[in-house]
Amino acid sequence: MAKIAILPGDGIGPEIIRATIDVLEGIATQFNHKFEYIYDDVGGAAIKKYGSPLIKKTIDLCRSCDAVLLGAVGDPAYDTLPAEQRPEKAILQLRKSLGLFANLRPACLFNTLIDSSPLKRETIADIDLMVVRELTSGIYFGEPRQRIAAGVEIKALDTMIYTNWEIERIARTAFELAQKRHKKVTSVDKANVLESSRLWREMVNKVAKDYPEIELQHMYVDNTAMQLIKNPRQFDVLLTGNMFGDILSDEAAMLTGSLGMLASASLGSNTPGLFEPAHGSAPDIAGKNTANPIATIMSASLMLDYGLHMKPEAAAIRQAVEMTLQQGYRTQDIFSKEMTCIGTIEMGQRVKENLSNIPHVS
Ligand code: IPM
Ligand code: MG
């Protein structure tokens, strides 16, 4: 039996998680598994309940489970709190305390959604890229970070810092993944300006020597942002630091039709992985049963694949999602004419039902 920590979080978090649990229960039935779900609160929900976005008990719970599935955090009610107390702190602290240094964000297009992308069909047909984002260092965690007020002048600073071994281990993750994919790594940096990027490039080149069969390309981040729109099919694995990956993964998500489609896996070594959609808590549509749960459902698929070593089960989820889209069901963010617009919970139910229509499922 797999034990899964479930952290619905804020905004649309609870509804997209509910839809995803339906799908996981479908997997449990089809494949004769039993999943145990242990719920806890993080983010704004935890501020309300415990007075803090992430308490130690929740971290301990995550450590004791086989995997962690998270909805979303972020609540405008707490936007004015200092950084340390904001809901987003929960996710940053969870990543750091579980040592989840590798964030995998696969952007692949469901063919049925090709017309939902803002880009032309021929530009995005068959894109299949994976952002491998460093997640526990860089400017997100660098010290010092502070505000300095001197008279009328106020300064604020963050520190972009990388250590050689931090770059090496994330580069290794990227090269290992590329080996199982299309054997190409594009490493993203700003080495024409930043010292930390120059070390980044040096370390990536060093790791590349161990992977002679992988094609390595270095690309400045500004050019990468442009190339993702111009010719996204050139990319296989995009290796990035923490902040560049945050930015480029939203862009990559949009190529696939909607930010509501991009799943993510955060992995460390000898620690349970954290699986969450790459989008935020969308407070404007929270509680309306209109959010797209597919990014979370696909995160559950990544959880089965990378976290629980259930590959056929992971593939079944993907196929069931594809089938549901083929049947014309859409949430409003990916709706187009002649399709059937359905809500968050119904999307989960349709995917679950389709699990039993997949031929090879035992
Ligand atoms: C993401 C999110 C987070 C990040 C926020 C919520 C802290 O944007 O996972 O991409 O910046 O990493
Ligand atoms: Mg982001």
Side-chain angles (χ1 to χ4, degrees):
M1 181 173 68
K3 231 170 101 176
I4 308 169
I6 306 284
L7 310 174
D10 306 320
I12 57 171
E15 32 198 315
I16 54 181
I17 285 286
R18 219 182 104 196
T20 304
I21 298 287
D22 276 345
V23 177
L24 281 171
E25 281 306 282
I27 290 287
T29 311
Q30 295 291 323
F31 288 84
N32 263 321
H33 293 306
K34 193 158 167 32
F35 297 125
E36 185 188 352
Y37 311 108
I38 307 169
Y39 285 78
D40 204 350
D41 287 308
V42 289
I47 298 178
K48 272 187 210 113
K49 189 161 165 191
Y50 305 122
S52 158
L54 180 71
I55 59 167
K56 184 170 173 299
K57 178 176 96 41
T58 311
I59 303 175
D60 291 342
L61 163 72
C62 294
R63 284 214 179 92
S64 73
C65 286
D66 300 302
V68 183
L69 184 67
L70 187 142
V73 295
D75 183 334
Y78 302 112
D79 271 356
T80 51
L81 289 180
E84 284 306 297
Q85 295 158 29
R86 283 178 64 111
E88 288 79 1
K89 182 72 192 172
I91 208 158
L92 299 175
Q93 219 178 325
L94 209 48
R95 290 168 180 172
K96 191 74 175 175
S97 44
L98 295 178
L100 305 170
F101 66 88
N103 185 217
L104 278 36
R105 298 188 161 180
C108 49
L109 186 71
F110 287 99
N111 275 329
T112 34
L113 285 187
I114 199 156
D115 294 317
S116 299
S117 171
L119 299 193
K120 289 197 206 86
R121 219 169 220 276
E122 56 273 25
T123 312
I124 51 157
D126 303 320
I127 55 162
D128 178 9
L129 65 93
M130 166 93 86
V131 178
V132 176
R133 168 188 177 196
E134 198 290 325
L135 204 59
T136 50
S137 184
I139 197 166
Y140 272 56
F141 294 94
E143 295 287 345
R145 52 172 59 231
Q146 64 188 123
R147 241 176 112 110
I148 308 157
V152 287
E153 195 173 69
I154 308 169
K155 288 183 183 161
L157 65 98
D158 297 279
T159 302
M160 182 133 162
I161 183 165
Y162 270 111
T163 308
N164 55 352
W165 55 267
E166 289 173 331
I167 304 168
E168 277 195 59
R169 68 177 178 182
I170 191 68
R172 228 163 262 290
T173 306
F175 280 95
E176 290 290 330
L177 277 164
Q179 233 161 11
K180 296 186 209 122
R181 296 172 45 95
H182 305 292
K183 301 201 161 34
K184 182 173 177 189
V185 170
T186 306
S187 174
V188 178
D189 63 38
K190 188 73 187 168
N192 49 345
V193 178
L194 303 175
E195 204 51 48
S196 56
S197 278
R198 284 191 275 274
L199 180 63
W200 181 276
R201 202 173 266 221
E202 207 179 301
M203 289 300 125
V204 172
N205 279 333
K206 184 176 163 214
V207 172
K209 292 207 176 78
D210 296 337
Y211 300 88
E213 67 286 17
I214 306 285
E215 181 195 341
L216 169 67
Q217 175 188 33
H218 297 283
M219 199 179 269
Y220 295 141
V221 62
D222 48 351
N223 185 26
T224 313
M226 188 266 278
Q227 294 292 339
L228 266 172
I229 301 294
K230 191 176 164 205
N231 177 18
R233 287 156 73 177
Q234 68 184 291
F235 296 116
D236 176 19
V237 172
L238 265 173
L239 165 62
T240 76
N242 207 342
M243 186 165 67
F244 296 161
D246 177 46
I247 298 165
L248 294 177
S249 60
D250 271 26
E251 194 184 346
M254 203 57 219
L255 300 177
T256 68
S258 164
L259 194 50
M261 302 296 296
L262 194 74
S264 105
S266 306
L267 309 172
S269 24
N270 302 317
T271 175
L274 170 72
F275 303 87
E276 54 169 328
H279 60 70
S281 59
D284 51 324
I285 55 164
K288 296 197 174 131
N289 192 34
T290 57
N292 183 350
I294 295 179
T296 319
I297 294 172
M298 291 306 294
S299 299
S301 167
L302 291 179
M303 176 177 85
L304 296 177
D305 191 346
Y306 292 95
L308 304 175
H309 310 293
M310 300 178 175
K311 279 200 182 300
E313 292 84 338
I317 292 190
R318 199 193 145 79
Q319 279 175 282
V321 168
E322 178 103 65
M323 202 178 273
T324 309
L325 294 170
Q326 261 158 15
Q327 291 158 350
Y329 295 110
R330 301 281 189 276
T331 42
Q332 68 179 22
D333 57 315
I334 49 173
F335 179 74
S336 55
K337 60 176 185 307
E338 278 150 44
M339 299 293 143
T340 314
C341 191
I342 60 174
T344 313
I345 301 303
E346 192 179 352
M347 182 59 90
Q349 282 158 355
R350 297 274 169 194
V351 174
K352 177 182 181 178
E353 274 163 34
N354 277 326
L355 283 172
S356 46
N357 297 328
I358 295 168
H360 72 260
V361 172
S362 55

